[in-house]
Amino acid sequence: VKLTTYFIRKGYELKPLQIAGFYLMAAAYITFALVRTYTSLGSWYLYILYCIINFCLTFGPNVTTFVIPSATYARATRATFSGASSAAGKLGAVIGTELLPLVNATYGLNAVIYLCAAVSILGAMTTQACVHNALLTAAIKTPSQPRPRTKKESPSHEQPHMSIDETPPALLETTRMMGGDKSQNSASLV
């Protein structure tokens, strides 16, 4: 995650990072399956390959799949569509969780690994087709401008904070109904 963040902060574009991450994952999955099938290397080599798969997952798609939606969608619809993107990812996780044990039981572990590689390649191709660099570049490189303060919000006109002795009557009533006595202050509810 830190490596991906480093690349993003250095100005690398999100789309190539995500595509590279997906292709690296696919290569790592295929290498894992080939080493597992055609060599007699011990479990330590498979563990090292598994760590490489984990690194590839974390390097690109793990970070960029959260950053790209928030950088792509317009401000007015960002929360809704980022949520929809997240839900689609969760749906894929549910499908994978249910499908992969069936593939493993029917065809074996290598089929599961090759299926993961195919999904990684599909992810890279989908990113290539659907994500537009112009939107991402504009969203990331444009500094957010602070909204100008109104006269009411300016520091010289700020209202002082309410003291504990000025607890609103509605809060006191709610506190009393919850079993507290009227002398309780709002700070004790937190």
Side-chain angles (χ1 to χ4, degrees), residues 39-79:
T39 67
S40 60
L41 297 175
S43 59
W44 278 105
Y45 292 101
L46 293 177
Y47 177 72
I48 290 169
L49 287 171
Y50 173 76
C51 291
I52 292 170
I53 290 171
N54 237 350
F55 169 77
C56 294
L57 173 67
T58 306
F59 170 71
N62 192 27
V63 173
T64 56
T65 53
F66 292 101
V67 176
I68 285 177
S70 60
T72 301
Y73 300 123
R75 222 175 255 243
T77 59
R78 187 172 294 156

Side-chain angles (χ1 to χ4, degrees), residues 19-110:
I19 291 170
F22 276 130
Y23 281 133
L24 286 172
M25 282 174 47
Y29 280 127
I30 292 168
T31 303
F32 185 88
L34 291 174
V35 166
R36 186 178 174 281
T37 303
Y38 297 111
T39 67
S40 60
L41 297 175
S43 59
W44 278 105
Y45 292 101
L46 293 177
Y47 177 72
I48 290 169
L49 287 171
Y50 173 76
C51 291
I52 292 170
I53 290 171
N54 237 350
F55 169 77
C56 294
L57 173 67
T58 306
F59 170 71
N62 192 27
V63 173
T64 56
T65 53
F66 292 101
V67 176
I68 285 177
S70 60
T72 301
Y73 300 123
R75 222 175 255 243
T77 59
R78 187 172 294 156
T80 301
F81 288 134
S82 289
S85 297
S86 180
K90 304 304 184 259
L91 178 62
V94 168
I95 291 169
T97 301
E98 295 299 320
L99 180 67
L100 292 179
L102 297 174
V103 173
N104 186 31
T106 306
Y107 301 106
L109 183 59
N110 276 353

